[in-house]
Amino acid sequence: MIWRREDAPAAAPPGEPPATVRPERTETEVAGMAEQGGEVTVVGQGAKLEGTVVSAGSLRIDGQVKGQINAEGDVALSPQSQVEADIRAQNVSIAGRFKGSVQVKGKAHLARGGRIDGNITSKTLVVEEGGIFHGQSIMDGSSPAEAARGQGAPQQKTEEKRDEPEVKVP
């Protein structure tokens, strides 16, 4: 069963284990994510998902996900998360373990203690001290979809003409 946070029961029903307490994001961080896309979907610490996760808003992952993640808002991976996926979103913040590729329209953020094994395509990349990044970063001013099709902002090529004599080496 899925509840909204404000609709969640105060105590576990009889016969079920009580909900575990886990570290939460600050209200400011969650509010910031909510402003981006409305709702924030949370994959809990004990959850293990395999397949495609689609969110019309923002997504926070505390558990394990394997597959593909598509979010119209932001994606945040908490320190205890373990994700092996391809992520497409507005922005991404990684504080846990991540393996795969990231394509975001805005900022990719690797927090202290986070680890990325894979490639990132973004406008901005922030790697905090203590973050580990193994892979390739493509910093692109256009959206990832446009970059994949080669329709990004035209690159200006400049050629310098020099009046230096040609030197031939025997």
Side-chain angles (χ1 to χ4, degrees):
M1 180 176 268
I2 299 174
W3 295 293
R4 286 188 168 179
R5 190 171 292 201
E6 58 272 349
D7 296 338
E16 289 187 23
T20 59
V21 177
R22 64 183 188 281
E24 297 286 334
R25 288 186 157 275
T26 64
E27 289 182 27
T28 306
E29 290 172 312
V30 173
M33 288 177 69
E35 287 174 11
Q36 290 289 335
E39 294 290 321
V40 177
T41 302
V42 178
V43 176
Q45 188 171 1
K48 292 181 182 180
L49 298 178
E50 193 166 332
T52 301
V53 178
V54 179
S55 176
S58 294
L59 179 66
R60 186 182 88 212
I61 299 173
D62 295 334
Q64 297 178 14
V65 175
K66 186 174 186 177
Q68 187 164 343
I69 299 168
N70 298 320
E72 291 183 22
D74 298 344
V75 174
L77 278 60
S78 67
Q80 63 272 15
S81 67
Q82 294 182 7
V83 176
E84 186 175 329
D86 294 329
I87 296 176
R88 292 178 184 262
Q90 289 292 323
N91 301 294
V92 69
S93 177
I94 298 174
R97 293 187 177 271
F98 173 78
K99 184 175 184 179
S101 67
V102 174
Q103 289 190 349
V104 292
K105 295 178 182 175
K107 179 168 71 170
H109 175 253
L110 175 58
R112 174 186 304 257
R115 179 183 179 106
I116 296 175
D117 291 302
N119 300 329
I120 299 173
T121 302
S122 64
K123 283 186 182 178
T124 306
L125 173 63
V126 176
V127 179
E128 288 185 16
E129 185 176 351
I132 299 171
F133 176 40
H134 288 243
Q136 181 179 359
S137 169
I138 300 169
M139 310 249 330
D140 190 3
S142 62
S143 73
E146 290 173 342
R149 292 190 306 255
Q151 297 177 355
Q155 299 289 328
Q156 292 184 350
K157 292 184 179 179
T158 58
E159 293 182 21
E160 290 184 28
K161 291 187 177 182
R162 296 184 180 180
D163 293 330
E164 295 177 4
E166 187 176 306
V167 178
K168 292 184 180 180
V169 178

